Amino acid sequence: MADESIKVLCTGDLHIGRRSSRLPGHQDGSEHSCSGAWDAIVDSAITERVDIVALSGDLVDRENRYFEAIGPLERGLRRLAEAGIESYAVSGNHDFDVLPQLADTLDIEGFYLLGRGGEWERRTVHRGGQAALHIDGWSFPRQDVSNCALDSYQPDVDGTPVLGLIHADLDQPASRYGPVTIADLHRRPVALWLLGHIHAGAILAEPGRPIVMYPGSPQAMDPGEQGLHGIVIADIRRSGEVRTREIAISTVRYLPLTIDVSGIESEDEIRSKIYGELRDALADDEHRYDRLTCLSCRLTITGRTPLHGRIREITGSIIEDLNLTGPTGTEAIVERIDIDTRLAIDLETVARRNDPPGEIAKFIKAVEAGDAKSSYRDLVSSTVRQLREIHRANTFSGIALDEPPGEAAALRHLQSEAWSLLDALISQKEAV
């Protein structure tokens, strides 16, 4: 018993009723639904032979709610029960009213909704006739909760490790969705805090402190939900030690991809560069994520090129025409293209001119050569003063750790502004 652990599948924010968005018509199907992700979670629980499944709220999406969620949820919970796996859940701001209804309607043995009405509730998992893990849960009693649930949390301490289960907004004191602080969580006698609400996964671990975990949404639902999306397997030992392991579940990955076309002078080379980087990204992600079937990329094209004025035309057909599929069948698509290129400017030539662009080019060359502090002393000094005024007026100046800006910061700022102005002036002249 001393070395025995309880194996927990940690997940939350399933949002059954939703699916991944901003996909082309042939990709926007049930394959990328959150109910499909729930099926995959149940498969993983059975394959991994976990002891329990812990769900940190928002199982049901508020916009779709009861009827779309009840079938998939019931099917999965019954499969878990048949495999001897208990499920423990709390409700969040999306399903505060629906999840209790579902729990009562389904009445599945081995499924426990904890903390109804905003009252802390404890369930205990036993092994060999002894308590192996306490699960303390608190559910949203209404959609908006501005008070901290931990204010009413006073757990009994008996040496058994505790899994804390709560839907909460971490370190957001003005939040309407269950604000808690990391300091408050750390003060409680808990081995692992499993939180819901934030769709990006995060595991916050400090020596001697409870682990605080957001498992994130298992299915990525929009381009803002980047990175790995899946579940976390946590082994909680009798001593309170916790070991975690992430498993990717999402069938879609949203990837921002910046492609630098600096110096490229041929349209074909630009197309080849973009295709090559998309192919490399697909190969990398297809290798890392087993269930991935769609890599949705948002491209940002950057750099200085003589083709600056034609980049949008050159890349215009990529979204509709890209046909790129990896060896295991994962398809790469381009969801959006942002153009952030600049003209390729010959500073030496422009600096010989006696006009505004020429003066700006001379300044940029002086900065690059390290001569600007002496050649443009008044401008640099004036910029330092203005930047320091902004620094002092900053709302967070009382807690800022950075030093007040000096000449180096002023030169970086002036150089950036000079390039922007030079681009604008030359672009205007070429457009005339």
Side-chain angles (χ1 to χ4, degrees):
M1 181 66 186
D3 294 326
E4 186 176 356
S5 65
I6 298 295
K7 193 174 185 180
V8 185
L9 186 152
C10 303
T11 188
D13 292 283
L14 305 181
H15 288 278
I16 296 174
R18 289 184 61 184
R19 62 185 58 188
S20 300
S21 63
R22 300 187 69 88
L23 302 178
H26 69 281
Q27 281 279 358
D28 192 15
S30 59
E31 176 187 11
H32 305 307
S33 69
C34 294
S35 63
W38 168 235
D39 291 338
I41 290 167
V42 174
D43 290 340
S44 294
I46 295 171
T47 301
E48 291 280 336
R49 298 183 178 182
V50 302
D51 296 298
I52 66 173
V53 170
L55 302 140
S56 57
D58 282 1
L59 279 64
V60 181
D61 190 72
R62 185 159 185 79
E63 299 305 318
N64 297 280
R65 308 180 75 181
Y66 191 94
F67 289 106
E68 190 164 352
I70 191 168
L73 191 60
E74 178 180 18
R75 181 174 63 246
L77 290 173
R78 291 199 185 282
R79 286 182 61 206
L80 291 173
E82 290 167 1
I85 300 171
E86 294 181 334
S87 304
Y88 298 84
V90 293
S91 60
N93 56 292
H94 273 265
D95 57 8
F96 73 96
D97 53 351
V98 178
L99 196 55
Q101 295 176 36
L102 288 172
D104 292 340
T105 300
L106 298 177
D107 191 25
I108 296 174
E109 185 176 355
F111 171 58
Y112 305 100
L113 177 61
L114 304 181
R116 297 191 191 208
E119 298 289 337
W120 283 94
E121 180 181 356
R122 168 170 287 184
R123 285 272 181 171
T124 301
V125 179
H126 293 84
R127 289 292 179 270
Q130 299 182 49
L133 179 69
H134 294 314
I135 305 171
D136 292 350
W138 181 95
S139 286
F140 267 53
R142 55 191 176 276
Q143 185 173 8
D144 293 350
V145 174
S146 57
N147 61 292
C148 177
L150 296 179
D151 291 344
S152 60
Y153 181 50
Q154 297 178 330
D156 293 331
V157 179
D158 61 5
T160 301
V162 176
L163 167 63
L165 193 55
I166 183 174
H167 199 82
D169 207 355
L170 186 62
D171 288 334
Q172 299 295 326
S175 174
R176 297 183 294 117
Y177 303 115
V180 298
T181 67
I182 191 74
D184 276 344
L185 292 171
H186 280 169
R187 279 195 291 266
R188 267 54 181 193
V190 169
L192 170 64
W193 282 107
L194 175 58
L195 277 56
H197 187 61
I198 303 301
H199 290 190
I203 300 176
L204 308 177
E206 295 182 24
R209 305 283 192 180
I211 291 178
V212 178
M213 177 203 301
Y214 277 113
S217 53
Q219 180 73 18
M221 288 176 273
D222 62 60
E225 298 189 3
Q226 300 162 9
L228 184 148
H229 283 262
I231 58 176
V232 179
I233 303 294
D235 283 296
I236 305 177
R237 295 186 176 275
R238 187 72 177 81
S239 63
E241 178 188 2
V242 180
R243 297 180 181 179
T244 61
R245 173 168 53 92
E246 296 177 279
I247 299 176
I249 290 291
S250 182
T251 57
V252 175
R253 172 157 152 76
Y254 294 99
L255 177 69
L257 191 59
T258 299
I259 300 176
D260 189 343
V261 296
S262 294
I264 297 180
E265 300 182 1
S266 159
E267 293 184 18
D268 287 342
E269 284 185 77
I270 288 179
R271 294 190 185 99
S272 295
K273 170 94 171 183
I274 294 172
Y275 184 83
E277 298 213 13
L278 284 168
R279 184 188 58 221
D280 291 346
L282 176 60
D284 183 51
D285 281 355
E286 194 173 41
H287 173 71
R288 290 194 295 162
Y289 304 122
D290 291 342
R291 294 191 71 247
L292 189 69
T293 59
C294 180
L295 178 66
S296 176
C297 300
R298 180 170 288 186
L299 305 186
T300 300
I301 312 299
T302 66
R304 294 189 170 275
T305 170
L307 296 173
H308 161 71
R310 302 197 55 232
I311 293 295
R312 194 166 299 281
E313 177 186 347
I314 294 168
T315 61
S317 64
I318 292 176
I319 293 177
E320 291 79 15
D321 295 346
L322 180 67
N323 184 2
L324 180 57
T325 303
T328 65
T330 300
E331 180 183 9
I333 65 169
V334 174
E335 177 259 332
R336 194 175 85 185
I337 302 175
D338 295 324
I339 307 299
D340 190 30
T341 57
R342 296 288 186 270
L343 286 171
I345 297 173
D346 184 349
L347 274 182
E348 292 289 344
T349 300
V350 178
R352 289 195 286 269
R353 292 162 46 174
N354 294 316
D355 59 4
E359 293 304 315
I360 296 170
K362 290 183 182 73
F363 172 76
I364 294 173
K365 282 175 57 62
V367 173
E368 292 178 348
D371 299 331
K373 285 192 287 186
S374 57
S375 303
Y376 297 88
R377 186 188 311 275
D378 291 343
L379 175 61
V380 174
S381 298
S382 173
T383 304
V384 169
R385 287 195 299 273
Q386 293 180 54
L387 290 177
R388 287 184 172 176
E389 287 177 9
I390 295 170
H391 183 270
R392 285 193 296 271
N394 191 296
T395 303
F396 303 104
S397 60
I399 59 172
L401 299 179
D402 54 327
E403 295 293 326
E407 290 183 342
L411 287 169
R412 287 194 300 271
H413 174 73
L414 288 168
Q415 185 180 28
S416 175
E417 292 299 307
W419 270 115
S420 295
L421 182 57
L422 185 59
D423 282 335
L425 289 173
I426 291 181
S427 295
Q428 289 173 7
K429 184 171 183 179
E430 291 190 354
V432 175

